[in-house]
Amino acid sequence: MTDPVPFYRHDLSAADAAPIAAVLDSLFLTTGPVARSVEAQIADFFTAPGALLVNSWTNGALAALLALDIGPGDAVIVPAMTFIATANVVKLLGATPVLVDVDPGTLMLTPEIAAAALTANTRAVIPVHLYGQMADVKGLRAALPPDVAIIEDAAHCFEGSRDGDAPGIHSDAAIFSFYATKNVTCGEGGAIISRNPDLLARIAETRTHGMSKTAIDRFAGNAYRHWDQAVLGVKANLPDLLAALLPGQIATIRDRLPRRAARAARYRAAFADGPLRLPQPVPGGVDAHHLFTIHVPPPVRDAAIDALNAVGIQVTVNYRAVHTLSYWQAQGWRADDLPVAADWGDGTISLPFFPSMTDAEQDRVIDAVRRQVYPLIDAARCHPAPNAQLSIASAR
Ligand SMILES: *Cc1c(COP(=O)(O)O)cnc(C)c1O
């Protein structure tokens, strides 16, 4: 049998090892001159006053929430259609994640949904730029009181925009992930941008235990300088060893987007006449095309995954809705509290999607979906399970 079509294949090669070797020849293995220069590159990319590299989106979000002094008694609004990290960081700090539903077309948080969930305790909202499209951050800013912070989960959206605005323009901070499968990657990592220099300065401390000086500052000019701790922080700084992988990718990310867009357009054209539901494009948006997801009636989703796997197509699920997972169910959340996110999460499948994918690989995926998945959908519509009527109706 031919090799399976992988879900993802990264583009890094032996050439990317040279900057790492250069770090090994230098004094700083941890956060030093390479990280500084990548931070300047990212700030420049987003025309932001500053950027901070972090060792994951998750630790970066903890540092940002700590810098905003968010903790017990505070509520933070989080859409249920996201990776669990978005909600977990709020919970880890003892604040209350207020999970909310999403727009049925784009699967993202809207200003109306966020405004409806506001209470006197709301301190922040974390919109998620799902699959590469951007949520309406400008609209959110207009709909929310000025003292409610907006932190963008831009893990899927480094190179996307909405109405000409990139992440970080209308929010207090935008946080990116450089996890292994993200559009820009160093294995594990991330970055935070903000238009608020005071907040950036606070995050620079909460990113490194709450220390007032980083390692590179402590030894500046060969003279030791004391550091102090004024606040509580996490350990979220990115070492130069990993930061060294980023400059080449950031420099070429916009040039590489058309390849992702072309792959996505090819899938969309192939499925245009079929029964799949796809996320709705945001008008005026530039999609970073991080993932390509489809939706089938929930009762046949797992059978569809098995059928694709059986013909050598690797797929994954992004995401089962946060509130449908055991941890959140144990805290009293019910699937039908947030029905749109629950239905999408129970029916979605992420197809193989990466820039170096070949036409032949993509054709195999398209063929498998049409031959294996379409008949399952047809069968489900002819003979719906008693409790499946609602989701099938909404999938039309
Ligand atoms: C990947 C991801 C995260 C977490 O990123 P890490 O860098 O792995 O911590 C958070 N939110 C979303 C939407 C993600 O896809």
Side-chain angles (χ1 to χ4, degrees), residues 46-379:
F46 290 101
T47 55
L52 293 167
L53 285 172
V54 287
N55 56 14
S56 66
W57 182 97
T58 304
N59 284 338
L62 288 171
L65 292 169
L66 280 170
L68 289 164
D69 203 21
I70 287 174
D74 297 330
V76 178
I77 295 171
V78 174
M81 182 38 59
T82 184
F83 181 56
I84 50 174
T86 322
N88 283 355
V89 290
V90 177
K91 193 80 184 173
L92 280 166
L93 293 177
T96 304
V98 178
L99 299 174
V100 294
D101 216 345
V102 291
D103 177 80
T106 66
L107 295 320
M108 294 192 285
L109 180 63
T110 66
E112 295 72 28
I113 293 169
L118 279 175
T119 66
N121 296 329
T122 308
R123 291 282 321 279
V125 177
I126 313 184
V128 177
H129 301 326
L130 197 68
Y131 306 143
Q133 301 210 89
M134 269 188 73
D136 181 5
V137 187
K138 189 179 189 178
L140 275 170
R141 187 64 285 167
L144 299 170
D147 60 338
V148 171
I150 300 177
I151 310 231
E152 296 172 65
D153 181 339
H156 296 184
C157 191
F158 191 90
E159 65 274 49
S161 64
R162 182 168 179 141
D163 298 325
D165 292 338
I169 303 277
H170 300 289
S171 62
D172 295 81
I175 309 181
F176 305 95
S177 171
F178 302 145
Y179 172 72
T181 58
K182 302 285 156 74
N183 291 15
V184 174
T185 183
C186 57
E188 299 281 357
I192 306 176
I193 56 170
S194 172
R195 309 227 145 238
N196 178 344
D198 294 338
L199 180 60
L200 270 182
R202 289 203 298 280
I203 299 173
E205 291 192 13
T206 55
R207 175 182 70 162
T208 320
H209 308 290
M211 289 167 85
S212 60
K213 286 188 172 63
T214 61
I216 193 170
D217 295 323
R218 294 199 297 277
F219 298 102
N222 284 329
Y224 175 82
R225 289 155 209 217
H226 286 299
W227 49 270
D228 191 16
Q229 181 190 1
V231 297
L232 191 62
V234 289
K235 179 73 161 94
N237 58 301
L238 188 74
D240 276 11
L241 270 176
L242 292 179
L245 283 167
L246 297 170
Q249 294 179 62
I250 295 169
T252 57
I253 186 80
R254 287 216 172 94
D255 299 338
R256 290 183 288 126
L257 182 56
R259 282 168 74 189
R260 287 183 174 272
R263 287 277 161 237
R266 207 159 173 270
Y267 269 143
R268 279 195 174 259
F271 299 142
D273 61 351
L276 303 175
R277 206 177 126 201
L278 302 177
Q280 223 170 59
V282 170
V286 172
D287 191 332
H289 293 293
H290 173 52
L291 295 168
F292 193 91
T293 58
I294 63 173
H295 182 274
V296 302
V300 304
R301 193 263 304 272
D302 290 356
I305 292 175
D306 290 346
L308 290 169
N309 286 167
V311 295
I313 308 298
Q314 292 184 356
V315 297
T316 181
V317 169
N318 305 88
Y319 303 91
R320 288 154 74 207
V322 171
H323 71 295
T324 66
L325 301 175
S326 299
Y327 174 80
W328 302 91
Q329 295 263 304
Q331 302 186 40
W333 288 95
R334 319 261 320 224
D336 40 0
D337 290 340
L338 310 171
V340 177
D343 176 75
W344 181 266
D346 287 349
T348 195
I349 302 173
S350 301
L351 299 181
F353 185 71
F354 46 92
S356 65
M357 189 176 202
T358 63
D359 282 354
E361 284 174 325
Q362 192 173 20
D363 287 342
R364 278 178 60 198
V365 179
I366 290 166
D367 188 60
V369 170
R370 297 178 74 101
R371 280 174 201 259
Q372 310 292 327
V373 179
Y374 284 15
L376 291 171
I377 299 173
D378 287 343

